[in-house]
């Protein structure tokens, strides 16, 4: 039997920026509940919620101080129960972020751990002898600076791959693991439908004397020995009817099928992180479309038939794809959607992507929120870069672009109060109200695309073949299942592109199923208009 999540479309909600129900400028659980019918109409089958747990918010909820409590800004456990029930009522499932590589430094385990070398929680984290001048090694954290922070009380340093307020848990400690496993079971018994496993490939580390050669992240990226922990997690996951998707950088397209094999894999699917290929100088990079196509094609090929992909273009860690890969038009928004949503795997849509939301025009450092961007800004200033230039450099590709509030109406409609982050001024042109009324809007195109994807088995189980592989601007592919064949043709550039369609696409009559221009044709040779997308099927 096909697992439910294979034919499902997911929607990622960044709760802080989705919908505010109590006018404090911060999105919340009741706000999400109020918008469930919007998601239902879009055709969504499950929601992934970014962290809503109790947190000091150094990394917007990815620094958890209590795994089993809700951050009061978002509501209560009761609110979550209500949301879950209301979602299930509509046939929408809900998965939560599972952040177990690290906790907050305010988590009771870490507060204990810090107290002394003989504290029972000492080994819940990673400590090593150090001096204020000399850390145990020279490894660098993802958010900049050393992976170590010195603690004068015990003359040791603790390890963190992200911010210093996010100490890494020690997965070698069985008592720690048991506590984490109990917490996971508690949530699954609560009734949620699965997890997105945050930064899961970092839970195992190399010995502290490991020497970095080229890849600075090698000491904590999919390091051997992680299999033991993943297998323990699999045991838990397999005893529930849930879905799991791992953010697993460093697990490459060759090993990912093993991680996601339906019979023996650790998790159901993987978010690869390779396709966000950039081109250009820092401060003015754009997305590299050829790189995007190449990476995703390789994953499609390597993951069939055993593995399963999680498909996405946007998320809370990247700028808006309609700005980095597109030209901020409805055509680019819909062409990108067509290109990735008909691939083999489970597609995710990040809030606002279905409207073609764009990057935010940052004008001041006050508007910047992301921890890593702020650290990078101060780094620039320390290097003597003038503030204006520093702002340009760090906001060009900041995660904050995707974290501005959702555009419900022409003035935002997210909150009646000042929102925690500024609303993009183009909400007057890009918003739900306008797009619901416009049959040719990205929103209405997404609805058709989702319905199409679910209507034909070829999009679920069909194999993937790339066509016109060398074309630098056009991504074309075939999905094939027995006698059924579907063709996806997208011009991912803002210039017209001439193409000669492969013979197999034109030998038999074809029928156009969906297009983002109103008068698309299907001929052996044709010129695709800027960001034109056409989906067709063999008419047999
Ligand atoms: O991001 C993790 C993340 O980006 C790294 O694990 C990634 O593997 C690395 O940069 C390699 O390129 C997640 C969340 O999505 C992010 O919002 C959090 O800030 C982070 O984890 C910490 O929890
Ligand atoms: Ca609120």
């Amino acid at each position: 039997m096909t697992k439910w999540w294979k034919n499902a479309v997911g929607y990622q909600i960044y709760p802080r920026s989705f919908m505010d129900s109590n006018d404090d400028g911060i999105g919340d659980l009741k706000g999400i509940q109020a918008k469930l019918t919007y998601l239902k109409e879009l055709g969504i089958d499950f929601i992934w919620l970014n962290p809503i747990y109790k947190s000091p918010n150094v990394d917007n909820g990815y620094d958890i101080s209590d795994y089993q409590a809700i951050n009061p800004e978002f509501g209560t456990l009761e609110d979550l129960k209500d949301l879950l029930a209301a979602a299930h009522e509509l046939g929408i499932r809900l998965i939560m972020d599972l952040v177990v590589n690290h906790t907050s430094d305010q988590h009771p385990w870490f507060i204990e751990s810090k107290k002394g070398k003989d504290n029972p929680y000492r080994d819940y984290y990673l400590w090593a002898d150090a001096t204020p001048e000399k850390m145990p090694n020279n490894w660098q954290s993802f958010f900049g600076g050393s992976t170590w922070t010195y603690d004068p009380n015990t003359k040791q340093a603790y390890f963190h791959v992200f911010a210093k307020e996010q100490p890494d848990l020690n997965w070698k400690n069985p008592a720690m693991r048991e506590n984490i496993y109990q917490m996971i079971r508690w949530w699954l018994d609560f009734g949620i439908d699965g997890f997105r496993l945050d930064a899961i490939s970092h839970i195992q580390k190399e010995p502290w004397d490991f020497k970095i050669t080229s890849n600075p992240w090698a000491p904590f990226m999919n390091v051997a020995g992680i299999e033991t922990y993943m297998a323990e997690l699999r045991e838990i996951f397999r005893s529930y009817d849930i879905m799991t998707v791992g953010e697993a950088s460093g697990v490459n397209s060759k090993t990912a099928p093993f991680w996601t094999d339906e019979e023996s894999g650790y998790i159901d699917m993987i978010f690869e992180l390779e396709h966000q290929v950039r081109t250009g100088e820092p401060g003015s990079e754009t997305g590299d479309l050829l790189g995007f196509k190449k990476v995703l094609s390789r994953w499609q090929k390597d993951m069939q038939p055993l593995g399963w992909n999680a498909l996405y273009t946007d998320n809370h860690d990247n700028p808006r794809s309609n700005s980095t890969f597109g030209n901020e038009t409805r055509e680019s928004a819909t062409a990108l959607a067509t290109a990735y949503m008909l691939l083999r795997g489970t597609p995710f849509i990040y809030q606002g992507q279905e409207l073609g939301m764009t990057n935010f025009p940052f004008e001041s450092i006050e508007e910047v929120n992301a921890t890593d961007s702020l650290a990078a800004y101060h780094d620039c200033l320390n290097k003597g870069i003038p503030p204006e230039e520093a702002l340009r450099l760090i906001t060009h590709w900041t995660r904050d672009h995707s974290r501005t509030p959702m555009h419900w109406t022409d003035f935002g409609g997210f909150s009646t109060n000042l929102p925690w982050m500024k609303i993009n001024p183009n909400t007057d042109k890009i918003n739900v109200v306008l797009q619901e009324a416009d049959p040719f809007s990205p929103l209405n195109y997404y609805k058709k695309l989702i319905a199409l994807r679910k209507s034909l088995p070829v999009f679920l189980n069909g194999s993937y073949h790339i066509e016109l592989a060398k074309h630098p601007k056009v991504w074309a592919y075939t999905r094939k299942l027995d006698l059924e064949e579907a063709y996806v043709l997208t011009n991912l550039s803002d210039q017209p592109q001439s193409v000669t369609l492969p013979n197999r696409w034109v030998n038999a009559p074809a029928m156009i199923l969906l297009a983002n221009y109103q008068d698309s044709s299907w001929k052996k040779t044709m010129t695709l208009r800027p960001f034109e997308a056409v989906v067709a099927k063999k008419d047999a």
Side-chain angles (χ1 to χ4, degrees), residues 254-411:
K254 292 270 183 269
T255 43
F258 174 78
W259 273 60
T260 60
D261 183 311
E262 201 173 314
E263 296 305 316
S264 56
Y266 305 133
I267 51 181
D268 298 323
M269 59 189 101
I270 280 191
F271 282 125
E272 52 76 31
L273 277 82
E274 287 178 63
H275 76 247
Q276 304 280 355
V277 196
R278 303 183 204 179
T279 172
E281 292 302 306
S284 49
E285 314 105 292
T286 57
D288 175 353
L289 280 163
L290 191 58
F292 170 77
K293 157 178 157 174
K294 274 190 182 155
V295 169
L296 286 179
S297 276
R298 170 162 51 78
W299 275 80
Q300 286 290 299
K301 205 162 100 308
D302 292 350
M303 289 289 262
Q304 59 191 24
L306 288 187
W308 194 254
N309 281 294
L311 309 168
Y312 74 102
T313 54
D314 294 49
N315 64 24
H316 65 294
D317 286 337
N318 284 291
R320 295 279 180 180
S321 67
N322 199 20
S323 300
T324 52
F325 288 101
N327 63 350
E328 306 196 338
T329 59
R330 76 165 74 189
E331 286 76 20
S332 63
T334 50
L336 284 162
T338 311
Y340 93 95
M341 283 194 61
L342 298 176
L343 295 171
R344 181 172 169 276
T346 298
F348 287 70
I349 297 167
Y350 177 69
Q351 65 185 44
Q353 182 193 322
E354 73 278 22
L355 309 175
M357 274 179 68
T358 64
N359 280 353
F360 181 85
F362 287 99
E363 280 172 353
S364 136
I365 191 67
E366 307 302 315
E367 294 165 343
V368 176
N369 177 269
T371 321
D372 53 334
S373 301
L374 290 171
Y377 180 74
H378 292 295
D379 219 42
C380 286
L381 295 190
N382 289 339
K383 284 186 192 138
I385 298 174
E388 258 180 40
E389 176 63 2
L391 181 71
R392 196 182 66 80
L393 286 172
I394 64 120
T395 55
H396 185 71
W397 204 277
T398 177
R399 337 166 139 189
D400 275 344
H401 287 298
S402 59
R403 299 182 176 184
T404 64
M406 176 75 178
H407 294 180
W408 297 106
T409 68
D410 57 359
F411 51 88

Side-chain angles (χ1 to χ4, degrees), residues 75-96:
T76 63
L77 262 184
E78 245 354 90
D79 294 342
L80 182 63
K81 235 181 227 160
D82 289 350
L83 171 62
L84 194 59
H88 284 172
E89 189 75 25
L90 289 172
I92 296 177
R93 290 179 162 97
L94 187 136
I95 71 169
M96 305 245 293

